[in-house]
Amino acid sequence: MDERTFGRSQQHASVVGLGTWQLGADWGDVDDKEALSVLEAAAESGVTFFDTADVYGDGRSEQTIAAFLSGRPDLHVLVATKMGRRVDQIPENYVLDNFRAWNDRSRRNLGVDRIDLVQLHCPPTPVYSTDEVFDALDTLVEEERIAQYGVSVETCEEALTAIARPGVASVQIILNAFRMKPLREVLPAAQEAGVGIIARVPLASGLLSGKYTRDTVFPENDHRAYNRHGEAFDVGETFSGVDYTTGVEAAAEFSALAPEGYSPAQLALRWIIEQPGVTTVIPGARNPDQARANAAAAKLPPLSEETLAAIRDLYDRRIKDQVENRW
């Protein structure tokens, strides 16, 4: 699989990575054996970038990645984790002592002395404008606890603030066919600054796979059931902030645009891969077949201008007004 560079850092990642939120929590139950099978299928398909977080299953996702990689010393996988969501979300918690403690825990979970990439996990907005926060992150690099750092953001404004920081190697942001606002300013700014873009929630929490209907029932421990209105965290993380009924209807239109040989999910991933400035896209997978199908999107033919225009038209007609004023 093709790899792309996080410009400032010179680290490489496969254009399709693997998001491992599903392997930790909040997407229903995934047992340990199945989780390891997902990682194996992704790696065999050429995936060299795993994204996790200390809060996914309270460390379970990190530990599962460590268990997998410990048995595969032949693999070179860039592992990115995130920190900051295990405490109250107030700017005062984003200080060096806490960073060290969180980093110690993640390094133990991952079984490494130095983590490839650590990202602030959608912290409060003032954090992105606080010099002391980025001084502390620089200290973690100097202490060789981490190789590079980045941020995960909710809004385009937060992304632009972070990109202006000289030490930021990457910005993780929601980008998909139902969330196009980052295309206008964030991706061009990241390209100019040499900052990598990690595109998360690429399938709009599964909507763009075309598998769901108005009658689909999600498990109680799945965020698509309990966070539809932002009850637990930012509602933009669930279905990209699109109300479910509209999302299902628009997803049916999207599925009809898939060229021959593409599944709707692969169309969604291929669309992101082709956006200038994207380094890697990180779909999750609940089973090995999903992991393989996601990775295969990297080798599909480029989309036609007609298909790209139809995707844009769908967004403008059905989705834009719901999401652009918030994120």
Side-chain angles (χ1 to χ4, degrees):
M1 188 187 301
D2 288 343
E3 292 190 322
R4 295 175 181 173
T5 303
F6 290 102
R8 289 174 176 171
S9 72
Q10 298 305 306
Q11 291 177 313
H12 292 80
S14 51
V15 294
V16 176
L18 179 70
T20 63
W21 188 8
Q22 283 92 334
L23 308 188
D26 300 317
W27 293 81
D29 296 324
V30 178
D31 65 33
D32 290 341
K33 183 177 179 181
E34 190 80 340
L36 291 170
S37 296
V38 167
L39 295 171
E40 179 70 30
E44 288 181 349
S45 301
V47 170
T48 62
F49 183 81
F50 293 166
D51 179 83
T52 185
D54 59 2
V55 77
Y56 295 166
D58 198 28
R60 180 191 179 205
S61 177
E62 291 178 326
Q63 293 164 3
T64 302
I65 289 171
F68 170 69
L69 292 178
S70 68
R72 293 295 306 270
D74 55 309
L75 291 178
H76 173 70
V77 176
L78 194 160
V79 178
T81 193
K82 297 184 285 294
M83 64 180 185
R85 301 295 296 187
R86 299 180 67 251
V87 296
D88 291 339
Q89 291 302 287
I90 56 175
E92 291 79 7
N93 279 329
Y94 286 79
V95 296
L96 180 57
D97 285 348
N98 283 345
F99 287 0
R100 285 178 173 143
W102 302 339
N103 178 254
D104 286 344
R105 184 176 185 273
S106 284
R107 288 189 297 147
R108 287 194 300 271
N109 285 342
L110 289 167
V112 298
D113 294 324
R114 184 172 71 166
I115 298 174
D116 296 326
L117 177 66
V118 167
Q119 305 154 93
L120 298 183
H121 198 172
C122 299
T125 299
V127 167
Y128 299 97
S129 301
T130 304
D131 292 343
E132 291 79 7
V133 167
F134 293 90
D135 290 343
L137 291 169
D138 287 333
T139 297
L140 296 189
V141 174
E142 292 165 3
E143 293 175 348
E144 298 188 352
R145 293 167 167 269
I146 65 177
Q148 297 287 336
Y149 62 81
V151 297
S152 185
V153 304
E154 296 291 2
T155 70
C156 290
E157 290 74 16
E158 291 170 346
L160 293 169
T161 301
I163 288 168
R165 294 278 175 179
V168 169
S170 64
V171 169
Q172 184 174 141
I173 191 168
I174 296 176
L175 174 66
N176 58 53
F178 285 178
R179 185 77 79 84
M180 293 193 188
K181 186 177 176 181
L183 301 182
R184 289 205 299 272
E185 294 185 14
V186 175
L187 268 60
Q191 275 190 293
E192 184 175 353
V195 171
I197 290 289
I198 302 168
R200 77 172 185 277
V201 197
L203 303 182
S205 304
L207 276 178
L208 290 167
S209 71
K211 296 187 300 183
Y212 304 131
T213 70
R214 291 187 182 188
D215 300 323
T216 300
V217 177
F218 297 95
E220 289 184 4
N221 61 345
D222 189 313
H223 73 101
R224 293 171 294 183
Y226 67 74
N227 193 59
R228 288 196 184 185
H229 305 289
E231 296 92 334
F233 42 81
D234 192 286
V235 70
E237 300 285 347
T238 301
F239 303 127
S240 291
V242 179
D243 80 78
Y244 187 69
T245 298
T246 299
V248 167
E249 293 172 355
E253 289 190 52
F254 181 84
S255 295
L257 300 176
E260 184 177 354
Y262 289 71
S263 69
Q266 288 172 330
L267 171 61
L269 295 174
R270 187 71 216 180
W271 180 86
I272 296 170
I273 291 168
E274 294 184 18
Q275 302 308 315
V278 170
T279 307
T280 184
V281 54
I282 52 169
R286 289 178 51 83
N287 59 62
D289 288 342
Q290 286 181 357
R292 295 186 190 99
N294 290 341
K299 296 183 179 180
L300 290 171
L303 299 173
S304 69
E305 291 299 324
E306 291 78 8
T307 299
L308 293 171
I311 293 171
R312 166 61 76 171
D313 175 68
L314 172 60
Y315 174 77
D316 288 343
R317 285 187 293 107
R318 302 299 304 270
I319 305 298
K320 183 177 180 179
D321 288 346
Q322 282 202 27
V323 298
E324 292 216 354
N325 64 328
R326 296 194 63 180
W327 298 284

